[in-house]
Amino acid sequence: MADRLRVCALYPELMSIYADRGNLLLLERRCGWRGIAFELTRVGHGDALDPDVHDLFYMGGGQDRDQRLVAEDLVAHKREALHAAAARGAVILAVCGGFQLLGDHYELGAERIGGVGLVDAHTVRAAGGTQTRLVGNVAIEVALPGLDGPRVLAGFENHGGRTHLGPDARPLGRVLSGHGNTGASGFEGVLAGTVVGTYLHGPLLPKNAWFADWLVQSALSLDAPLAPLDDRLEDAAHASALRAAGVPTPRTD
Ligand code: GLN
């Protein structure tokens, strides 16, 4: 059993809205409770990125203006490292604005922000300002490798961009409630090997502790699931987030 998880937070100053820090905190706590050491490295604008020394890369959400800054640096200085990390099976989890930058590009009117091209997707910001943002609680059904059946992720979304998956991309899940990638496709997020993109904020992992464990297990390439914890509080948070999304029969996961 691996005894440490090495996490890299990408652009924690610029890409960290909607309680994204809670995702990192939850990973730290759940590792700590199991005796797995947790190492957090913050890699920001202008910093070098070593593809080989992190098990899990995390990038949170961001405002359009911060995404511009980040995208420039990401494409110029971190793209190759992220591809190399994904190729060796490191987990890359990107939420909302981070998810949008995993794809080929993000279009804002006539402007086009480049992405790292880790997944076959592109995002287009809807015209019409705040009225056309996709906002609210969301629940999606996911089928993940290594789990014995479908599970449900609950969260909150707030995005102006619509993310269109290309033929080579598979969604992370199917929308049960809420808008998802485009508000119309019925798809949410993207899953490409160990690369995960999703619009679910709020924050994602405290509302779905089981998913955090799946990420840790994947990042450490463990064959067996992590040791169970007393998750009564986490399960209650999950059920409450599902109820908020209007999903009537919360599972016990
Ligand atoms: N700026 C992006 C959008 O509005 C992402 C927003 C976010 O990360 N919440 O689509």
Side-chain angles (χ1 to χ4, degrees):
M1 163 93 174
D3 57 1
R4 66 174 174 160
L5 180 75
R6 301 165 303 172
V7 173
C8 173
L10 287 162
Y11 308 100
E13 310 299 330
L14 293 169
M15 300 291 281
S16 190
I17 52 175
Y18 278 114
D20 283 315
R21 274 192 303 261
N23 289 328
L24 297 170
L25 202 55
L26 183 118
L27 288 171
E28 179 179 5
R29 293 289 157 83
R30 293 183 77 77
C31 284
W33 289 331
R34 294 183 168 106
I36 301 172
F38 181 86
E39 290 173 16
L40 181 65
T41 306
R42 293 178 176 81
V43 171
H45 199 278
D47 295 340
L49 180 64
D50 186 334
D52 296 320
V53 299
H54 309 289
D55 308 303
L56 190 153
F57 295 78
Y58 179 75
M59 182 158 54
Q63 310 286 356
D64 290 344
R65 66 168 181 275
D66 293 330
Q67 279 178 272
R68 277 188 191 96
L69 283 174
V70 163
E72 252 172 52
D73 183 73
L74 195 65
V75 172
H77 302 297
K78 298 178 176 67
R79 184 180 185 281
E80 275 171 43
L82 284 175
H83 278 263
R88 70 170 177 80
V91 167
I92 298 175
L93 171 63
V95 174
C96 200
F99 164 36
Q100 294 172 343
L101 298 183
L102 289 184
D104 184 71
H105 62 266
Y106 178 23
E107 263 173 54
L108 304 99
E111 184 187 0
R112 181 181 277 221
I113 297 176
V116 289
L118 272 169
V119 297
D120 181 16
H122 73 278
T123 299
V124 181
R125 190 176 66 186
T130 49
Q131 277 134 13
T132 55
R133 294 189 73 78
L134 302 178
V135 185
N137 291 305
V138 51
I140 64 170
E141 185 175 74
V142 299
L144 298 171
L147 297 185
D148 47 12
R151 306 285 292 260
V152 180
L153 285 173
F156 179 81
E157 60 186 328
N158 183 355
H159 49 109
R162 283 20 176 200
T163 299
H164 303 274
L165 302 183
D168 293 338
R170 111 170 223 217
L172 172 63
R174 186 175 69 80
V175 175
L176 298 175
S177 166
H179 302 289
N181 286 350
T182 67
S185 67
F187 295 143
E188 206 293 317
V190 71
L191 178 66
T194 50
V195 178
V196 182
T198 178
Y199 274 114
L200 271 59
H201 282 290
L204 171 69
L205 300 183
K207 285 182 176 174
N208 303 280
W210 68 267
F211 184 59
D213 288 356
W214 181 83
L215 292 169
V216 173
Q217 189 188 337
S218 306
L220 297 179
S221 306
L222 304 176
D223 294 330
L226 296 169
L229 297 171
D230 176 358
D231 277 340
R232 278 172 292 181
L233 195 60
E234 290 77 0
D235 291 344
H238 181 67
S240 155
L242 285 180
R243 279 194 298 277
V247 174
T249 50
R251 300 164 60 94
T252 50
D253 54 13

